[in-house]
């Protein structure tokens, strides 16, 4: 079983930056050795959408709306996933979730592919 705990959310003005963290723990082995990880977000009244993903090989994928502004990365020693968010816009306001799947080769922004989820951290961007 995998436990995911997000942190780093907050309130910023448009154009600002935030870095989200997701601390991962597992009963078995270092999670990033064999997992695909991703960040999702859900704004009020909207469906949850994939933002960025990274697989066990370090390959990344981004939603078009965040390309060039967000960067996903992982620290395999600390078992922590990050999302660096720069040039934030009001439309980035949402609850952000960390997700994981044991198919390390996977690189997906579809929520149905992920079976482990954190509780979320709120990001609010004011214009």
């Amino acid at each position: 079983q995998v436990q995911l705990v997000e942190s780093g959310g907050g309130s910023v003005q448009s154009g600002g930056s935030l870095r989200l963290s997701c601390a991962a723990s597992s009963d078995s082995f270092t999670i990033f050795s064999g997992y695909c990880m991703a960040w999702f977000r859900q704004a009020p009244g909207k469906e949850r959408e994939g933002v960025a993903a990274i697989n066990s090989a370090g390959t990344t994928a981004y939603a078009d709306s965040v390309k060039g502004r967000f960067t996903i990365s992982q620290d395999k020693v600390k078992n922590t996933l990050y999302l660096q968010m720069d040039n934030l816009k009001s439309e980035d306001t949402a609850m952000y979730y960390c997700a994981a799947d044991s198919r390390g080769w996977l690189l997906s922004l579809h929520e149905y592919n992920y079976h482990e989820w954190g509780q979320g951290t709120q990001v609010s961007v004011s214009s």
Side-chain angles (χ1 to χ4, degrees):
Q1 188 174 358
V2 174
Q3 295 80 43
L4 304 172
V5 179
E6 303 95 333
S7 62
S11 298
V12 295
Q13 290 190 331
S14 180
S17 297
L18 281 174
R19 188 176 80 158
L20 305 183
S21 298
C22 172
S25 60
S26 170
D27 294 336
S28 54
F29 50 84
T30 302
I31 186 172
F32 295 135
S33 297
Y35 278 71
C36 174
M37 307 289 294
W39 287 98
F40 288 79
R41 68 185 181 187
Q42 187 167 22
K46 295 187 176 181
E47 293 185 351
R48 189 154 55 184
E49 63 173 347
V51 174
I54 184 167
N55 65 14
S56 58
T59 304
T60 59
Y62 296 92
D64 288 341
S65 58
V66 305
K67 280 182 181 176
R69 300 189 298 122
F70 290 11
T71 303
I72 189 171
S73 62
Q74 59 192 19
D75 185 325
K76 295 186 177 182
V77 174
K78 295 182 178 179
N79 269 358
T80 302
L81 180 73
Y82 300 102
L83 184 68
Q84 177 67 41
M85 305 186 295
D86 298 318
N87 190 21
L88 282 161
K89 304 176 181 180
S90 57
E91 52 263 42
D92 295 318
T93 295
M95 184 71 79
Y96 283 71
Y97 299 90
C98 173
D101 188 83
S102 59
R103 293 168 292 177
W105 50 267
L106 190 68
L107 189 65
S108 172
L109 295 178
H110 297 293
E111 63 174 312
Y112 57 74
N113 278 319
Y114 293 87
H115 299 88
E116 311 289 350
W117 292 87
Q119 295 301 307
T121 185
Q122 178 68 39
V123 171
S124 298
V125 184
S126 59
S127 57

